[in-house]
Amino acid sequence: MTYTAPSAFQSRPDLRGTFGMSASTHWLATASAQSVLERGGNAFDAATAGAFVLHVVEPHLNGPGGDMVGVFATAEDPTPRVLMGQGPAPAGATVEHYRAEGLELVPGSGALAAAVPGAVDAWLLLLRDHGTWELADVLAYAIGYARDGHPVVGRVAATIAAVADLFRDHWPSSAERWMPDGRVPEADEVIRNEAYAAVLDRLVAAGAGAGDGTGDDGTGGDGTGDDVSREERIDAARAAWSTGFVAEAVDRFVRTPHRHSSGTDHAGVITADDMAAFSASVEPATTIEFRGHTIAKTGAWGQGPALLQTLAILEPMDDDLLDPSTVAGAHTILEAQKLALADREAYYGDRSVPLDHLLSTEYAAERRALIGDRASRDLRPGTVGSPGAMPPLRESYTPPAADGTGATAPAGVGEPTVGSFPRAEGAPVEDAGEPAVEPTGEMRGDTCHIDVVDRWGNIVSATPSGGWLQSSPTIPELGFCLGSRLQMTWLEEGTASTLTPGERPRTTLTPTLVLHDGQPVVALGSPGGDQQDQWQLLYLLRTIVGGYSPQQAIDAPALHSTSFPGSFWPRTWEPGGAVVEDRLGADVIAGLEARGHVVTRAGDWSLGRLSSVSRDPATGVLSAAANPRGAQAYAAGR
């Protein structure tokens, strides 16, 4: 058999040039990043500027109270490195406390779900160490959109509408922030967030006043803080965030009990001391060789190595079994992913994980032998040392009421399966691919993404997330809320990802860097929770094995498995579940069903929100591609 050829139809061109390329999940972030490149900034200046714009223009998908993970390489050093912006569980986030609050799961919304915010500190660390611009110039784009306003996309308005009753009845500070005059904003209406603009102004002022004793209001500073270095000015802004006015506001606000996705009211446990104790960092990447390429991911505190395990299983197989557009290929890919994701449940977490063994060729061969002609409906982790206790396997979940009499909130369905994507009556089926939110605030579908490469060879892929406007009540003086990443931990003792103070929740955020002959050639990523690496796998197989261009790979029909416990509240799974785009074809879908897969059709253009940038070290040619689904992501460059 030959590998399926790409479609003759291509939704967008593969951009090519030699100056610089940017791609993200919102056109304003892409345009802002590209503007920085045009004005002489490098890829790290540009990505940071674009990321803060994403806080403003995609507030339903990320926010400054959330987290981020990046992977990057510099022009001077092609070694892939991970930018770690995933905060840990607060000191007070113990299993005992949550159980005493009557909870069986960490809620999907509310301050008890909040890890220590990590995104802002991580971006400022990247800017300090590898950028060239002053903080004021980098943040000017986000400050402008927050203070002067921007036309809100319809999906933000739809998200606010979904949680309007929650805001009115339980989260009045969110109602005030997102429903001015008591109404939901309309699509394309210009909205503002003056409170967040003021926060960014104060961070800039903290840097401008560094070394002159003026504090975070910058009184007496000239905006540049010329008496101290650029790096010291950025560190002063980081301190204003983690030990200054932001941390103090967070500490005060979460002491008041408020409604959580459990349907019950609780106070948060995060404190100013928790925020002061966290600092973003840079870590070595975890890598594997696949078909002459090096694939770089996070360590096992994220789900990234599951992609590497899947590639190790698939690497020696015939090309036709690596083709997602055929029955045999789609089946093989789904089964390999299920095996890797079962190991994720058994082993991955912020602790010692036997990655050397999990990524070894010998172990991959053991796992490969388990792939049969029929879809497995079992969760089958391997045996490596002492795996953690397995979490409970639930196909549905009803939270207990505070009085023990029954459910108080509707259960979600995990994130993001096709059932996660309800659409308004009469809306096009393609809209099913956009993340959705329950009326109780739990998120099903999340996240933004940004990729940038510059003419010097600096390259970065980053996935910011968390702190969605519906994560928890808005902190009024900050204009944003906390994240909900702790929902990815378990309250059962002994699992690999049991809630533990000071440990990072096993994040789903998982950008990718690809190297060839030791040089970075592709940065890519996607929103999508548990599906992020599943959709990126299809891109890697189609480009490396099938010879697709980046845009052809992004456009091609997508699929993913749901046959493992979801990372998002209520942590359910669907044994044998597979979600596919209808464009995969009736024959392929029927073939998967005949092999025992429980197939859900998602519509023609619904799965995957990938973007990527690329570089050819031999020629200096750069390229970019972006997702057409939802008509929002954008790539730009020249």
Side-chain angles (χ1 to χ4, degrees):
M1 291 182 61
T2 59
Y3 207 94
T4 301
S7 170
F9 168 77
Q10 190 165 313
S11 67
R12 303 174 178 190
D14 283 279
L15 305 184
R16 293 183 178 87
T18 56
F19 179 80
M21 294 281 167
S22 306
S24 83
T25 48
H26 194 291
W27 63 86
L28 290 180
T30 297
S32 299
Q34 194 64 24
S35 172
V36 172
L37 295 180
E38 295 289 349
R39 293 169 57 194
N42 69 15
F44 307 116
D45 301 314
T48 305
F52 278 90
V53 170
L54 287 173
H55 291 167
V56 178
V57 300
E58 288 195 304
H60 64 316
L61 300 177
N62 83 138
D67 30 54
M68 67 82 64
V69 176
V71 59
F72 69 95
T74 67
E76 294 76 22
D77 183 359
T79 305
R81 284 170 284 180
V82 172
L83 178 63
M84 195 289 294
Q86 177 55 66
T94 64
V95 169
E96 294 75 17
H97 177 78
Y98 285 56
R99 292 288 190 185
E101 293 282 306
L103 298 169
E104 297 176 327
L105 289 169
V106 176
S109 65
L112 279 180
V116 177
V120 167
D121 192 63
W123 284 115
L124 297 187
L125 177 67
L126 182 72
L127 180 67
R128 185 196 72 180
D129 291 349
H130 300 290
T132 64
W133 273 27
E134 291 288 346
L135 182 61
D137 296 323
V138 167
L139 296 185
Y141 298 88
I143 292 171
Y145 288 126
R147 175 165 290 123
D148 301 331
H150 67 282
V152 66
V153 295
R155 291 171 180 85
V156 174
T159 298
I160 297 170
V163 290
D165 289 342
L166 172 69
F167 284 8
R168 292 187 186 101
D169 297 341
H170 299 287
W171 295 1
S173 60
S174 294
E176 183 178 358
R177 162 84 287 279
W178 296 106
M179 299 168 62
D181 303 320
R183 64 175 183 83
V184 174
E186 298 179 0
D188 298 324
E189 181 178 342
V190 174
I191 67 169
R192 296 170 175 81
N193 190 342
E194 289 93 342
Y196 184 47
V199 168
L200 298 181
D201 280 338
R202 291 184 71 177
L203 296 183
V204 171
D212 64 10
T214 59
D216 70 25
D217 64 354
T219 302
D222 63 3
T224 62
D226 289 335
D227 52 331
V228 296
S229 69
R230 171 185 167 277
E231 291 74 16
E232 288 172 318
R233 290 192 286 275
I234 294 174
D235 276 339
R238 295 174 69 196
W241 175 273
S242 62
T243 65
F245 72 98
V246 174
E248 293 165 0
V250 168
D251 192 312
R252 287 192 302 270
F253 187 77
V254 300
R255 303 282 80 82
T256 301
H258 54 271
R259 183 57 47 93
H260 285 56
S261 65
S262 55
T264 48
D265 292 353
H266 310 273
V269 294
I270 190 171
T271 67
D273 288 342
D274 292 316
M275 292 189 63
F278 172 76
S279 181
S281 62
V282 173
E283 301 182 357
T286 303
T287 63
I288 198 171
E289 299 301 310
F290 176 78
R291 300 290 181 97
H293 293 73
T294 302
I295 315 300
K297 304 291 290 185
T298 69
W301 51 268
Q303 69 170 330
L307 172 61
L308 304 183
Q309 283 192 245
T310 308
L311 289 170
I313 292 170
L314 297 174
E315 206 275 345
M317 303 180 83
D318 292 341
D319 287 1
D320 61 306
L321 295 179
L322 277 61
D323 184 350
S325 297
T326 67
V327 174
H331 168 77
T332 302
I333 290 165
L334 288 168
E335 294 303 293
Q337 287 174 328
K338 284 191 266 187
L339 293 169
L341 288 164
D343 281 342
R344 184 191 76 169
E345 295 307 312
Y347 297 102
Y348 290 17
D350 191 11
R351 54 195 68 193
S352 178
V353 178
L355 270 184
D356 288 345
H357 189 92
L358 291 170
L359 295 176
S360 68
T361 56
E362 295 80 11
Y363 183 69
E366 294 176 17
R367 304 296 275 161
R368 189 180 309 115
L370 296 176
I371 298 176
D373 292 333
R374 298 284 300 171
S376 171
R377 298 197 180 190
D378 298 318
L379 192 69
R380 300 184 290 173
T383 302
V384 182
S386 301
M390 290 302 289
L393 295 177
R394 303 183 178 108
E395 294 182 43
S396 62
Y397 177 70
T398 300
D403 59 5
T405 59
T408 56
V413 294
E415 183 276 0
T417 66
V418 94
S420 306
F421 304 144
R423 59 189 186 276
E425 183 177 355
V429 70
E430 287 76 15
D431 284 353
E434 175 65 17
V437 60
E438 288 283 359
T440 49
E442 64 267 22
M443 185 70 169
R444 302 176 301 172
D446 79 316
T447 313
C448 305
H449 188 77
I450 187 167
D451 304 298
V452 184
V453 63
D454 64 32
R455 62 190 185 275
W456 301 289
N458 299 300
I459 189 168
V460 57
S461 175
T463 309
S465 186
W468 314 305
L469 65 86
Q470 64 278 12
S471 291
S472 61
T474 297
I475 303 170
E477 62 264 50
L478 301 182
F480 61 82
C481 61
L482 297 175
S484 55
R485 189 64 58 182
L486 291 189
Q487 66 183 292
M488 298 182 180
T489 63
W490 294 99
L491 296 182
E492 284 72 21
E493 297 286 359
T495 76
S497 53
T498 295
L499 176 66
T500 305
E503 287 190 1
R504 293 168 290 189
R506 188 200 67 212
T507 183
T508 54
L509 306 179
T510 177
T512 300
L513 197 66
V514 180
L515 297 89
H516 184 62
D517 293 334
Q519 295 295 315
V521 293
V522 178
L524 75 143
S526 174
D530 290 312
Q531 280 63 254
Q532 290 180 29
D533 275 333
Q534 298 196 64
W535 294 335
Q536 291 180 67
L537 173 67
L538 306 179
Y539 177 106
L540 293 172
L541 294 177
R542 283 172 167 140
T543 56
I544 295 174
V545 182
Y548 287 37
S549 75
Q551 192 63 53
Q552 288 171 338
I554 289 172
D555 284 352
L559 72 159
H560 64 261
S561 172
T562 55
S563 189
F564 54 89
S567 293
F568 290 78
W569 193 92
R571 312 303 303 273
T572 56
W573 79 313
E574 182 182 15
V579 184
V580 304
E581 287 187 325
D582 291 46
R583 292 183 299 131
L584 196 61
D587 291 344
V588 174
I589 294 171
L592 291 174
E593 291 173 331
R595 292 190 180 218
H597 296 275
V598 182
V599 176
T600 300
R601 296 180 181 227
D604 282 344
W605 293 86
S606 56
L607 306 180
R609 297 176 65 205
L610 287 89
S611 66
S612 71
V613 296
S614 308
R615 63 183 294 267
D616 183 340
T619 65
V621 172
L622 310 176
S623 65
N627 165 53
R629 299 162 179 86
Q632 184 172 309
Y634 211 75
R638 67 176 180 87

